Amino acid sequence: MDRLLEDLQYIKGVGPKRRKQLNRLGLNTVFDLIWNIPRSYFNRDNVNRITELRDSEASSIKGKICSTGTTRTRSGMIIFKALVQDDSGAITAVWFNQPFMSRIIKPGQDVFLSGKPRMFSFSGMEFNVSEYEVIEDKDTYFKVLPIYALTEGLSQRMMRSITLNSIRDYLDYYPEVLDKNLRKKYNLCPIDYAFSNIHFPNSREAYRQARKRLAMEELFLFQLQIRQLERYLPKDNYVIHQEKTDLVKRLTSELPFQLTKAQKKVVNEIFADMESPLAMNRLLQGDVGAGKTAVAALAMAKAIASGFQAAIMAPTEILAQQHYTALERFFSGYDVIVARLTGGTSGAERRLILEAVRSGEIDLLVGTHALIQDDVVFHRLGLVVIDEQHRFGVRQRAALSDKGNSLDVLVMTATPIPRTLALTVYGDLDLSVINELPPGRKAIKTYFIKPQRRQQLYQFIYEQVHNKAAQAYIVCPLVEESEKQDLQAAVSLYEELKTGVFSNLKVGLIHGRLKPTEKDMAMQMFKQGKIQILVSTSVIEVGVDVPDASIMVIEQAERFGLSQLHQLRGRVGRGHRQSYCFLIADPRNEEAVRRLQAMEKTNDGFKLAEEDLRIRGPGEFWGVRQHGLDGLKVANLSKDHKLVELSRVLAEEIKQDYMNSQLEKYITLKFKKSNQVAPN
Ligand code: ADP
Ligand code: MG
């Protein structure tokens, strides 16, 4: 298999220049190239006659270029046009903003084009090109041609020939992990056949078979990865927590509220798992504000009362701090020592904490992924809680549970995950759901507004804050490319508001560049009402709890995904006030409009998650990247339900026979990027 890790330069047709271009596409090895699945195909058999084209129907045509020309519109858009003729008639083909097309498409050439015809009342029908292909005699023997993602200087033709060479020269080295019997049993084709036909399909049926095998390959490798991680968990020394403990009873009666029915139900499910000798592996799912923290606190109390240590890991410093404060308060008056460990913990303090965790003096350790570092050693860890787990990868979850023997694991998420996705990501996790919010919550009113109405909005906020003692968050978006720009946007909005409309209110600022103690301080001041309006970058995204905050303003809301918007909105509506969420946006594309409208329509996280999956597909679904699911290039989790089920069966079958170092290497290779934490 090592041959597959060879540098691309060893492939015929690839020199230093090509190699750089391929690198730019994220392709570094032969393995990457083989898994570089075409994004679509040209079917040369499947062409429409020009005179039979119909308005707005995706079509392909084949013809000769008669003439070409480039024009520029008043708004500065460059349009390249070519008149194409087949034996039925002619049509003008149009490329927008691709000035270089004039160097590629020339009169006299034969071409395939696919795209959409558009009817105009003044100029008749035009053909809006999405894919093109210049036909040359020598390469016409494949009926169906792959279309790959490209980068500047790299043509489809070049990409195809490089891919073809790599398939010819390297497929022999590709590991076949399914023997003949298994392939026959599940009706799967051999792996080399699959790769040949996903790139250069011989027929529709061959393509179907190829796709099925590769989707399956990805899914069961993923399943094996999960099982492989579980395999390392030792199965002796079972952790059994005590059935009835005084501590839990007293803490429950001292809560400032009655647990909801749903909370009671999940507490019972969790307790039953904890009392059994089998290791708990449970996912607690509950919408934002459903009260997962109280449930986790009771579970940790049970562990501690049973003589174990407990740990809770959160994805951000702010959230870890918040849990720490809440849990300290929760356990105050009892003989429970709570400590906090994050990336910001100073060297001396850190040493003291590690020492006390090792000796068992500390009962409960709260922190960020600082908890999974090697030198964090527990005396007797019995329960691990992972909050907002979609921000952590499979390996991080495993790393924390590895710090004890067969301990109980509770992972919590506010992101409702469709069943197929859950099965894929978690393998054999049990599921508990809090399907009810604490009583007295008023539905948050959500409005999508244009930036032009900002002054009106500020007026409303001013009245709410000044006259009714409301508190507001104003969130500026994360600009992916540059944290600096992010900061600038937040800082300048803060300055503007502080000196302008809100000059006699207390305005604060919080962002990712602040030191942990500074972030803490800002959050504390907001909690205590010493800050009335908190301007922030999207650092507050997860889990922060300030019950009196009732207004959430999200700037440039079109930049956020649906789940993120829902999470942000969940910061308000936690107390008894009527809460509001304002989404300021001027969206250019329809997808963004649909997202914002979905937010206006419902407060239900489950419905939004389904809508999100529908709008964007699972490739972009929140949290997918962290799980390494972006390693899935062929499988489609929203469509391949059956394959997902089958992959679980197959993974079980293969597990016994094939779990060897070769297979482990293969799995790591396929999901190599899955070992990362999401940025805050
Ligand atoms: P999440 O599930 O999003 O983590 P939290 O645990 O932060 O939600 O709880 C949200 C808020 O609801 C907190 O202020 C918490 O004290 C409160 N809360 C939790 N359970 C109840 C309950 N049963 N009744 C009233 N308030 C509750
Ligand atoms: Mg929470």
Side-chain angles (χ1 to χ4, degrees), residues 327-341:
L327 290 166
E328 264 226 305
R329 189 161 353 106
F330 185 73
F331 286 109
S332 70
Y334 296 91
D335 187 20
V336 172
I337 311 281
V338 185
R340 169 191 44 169
L341 184 70

Side-chain angles (χ1 to χ4, degrees), residues 292-293 323 387-388 543:
K292 297 185 287 294
T293 315
H323 282 327
D387 193 18
E388 308 293 349

Side-chain angles (χ1 to χ4, degrees), residues 396-410:
Q396 280 148 345
R397 171 154 69 89
L400 189 54
S401 6
D402 265 355
K403 294 198 179 285
N405 277 334
S406 282
L407 46 67
D408 288 330
V409 179
L410 178 66

Side-chain angles (χ1 to χ4, degrees), residues 257-260 263 287-294 438-439 441 545 547 574:
F257 44 75
Q258 282 268 318
L259 290 179
T260 61
Q263 279 171 317
D287 205 348
V288 183
K292 297 185 287 294
T293 315
R441 298 273 171 86
D545 188 32
R574 302 190 148 218

Side-chain angles (χ1 to χ4, degrees), residues 302-318:
K302 188 184 185 72
I304 293 164
S306 309
F308 291 99
Q309 291 170 299
I312 176 166
M313 177 162 78
T316 65
E317 298 251 357
I318 289 183

Side-chain angles (χ1 to χ4, degrees), residues 221-223 225-226 229 283 386 388-397 411 413 415 417 421-422 424-427 429 618 621-632 637 670-678:
L221 286 177
F222 197 88
Q223 292 295 325
Q225 183 193 27
I226 292 170
L229 292 170
L283 175 65
I386 299 172
E388 308 293 349
Q389 64 71 41
H390 57 271
R391 303 282 292 257
F392 295 105
V394 182
R395 278 161 205 276
Q396 280 148 345
R397 171 154 69 89
V411 296
T413 183
T415 311
I417 302 169
L421 200 57
T424 312
V425 177
Y426 303 113
L429 223 61
F621 194 77
W622 202 31
V624 160
R625 195 157 311 246
Q626 285 73 262
H627 288 114
L629 286 179
D630 57 338
L632 301 184
L637 293 176
K670 182 78 178 105
F671 297 107
K672 62 191 159 196
K673 292 189 193 98
S674 65
N675 201 9
Q676 299 161 352
V677 199

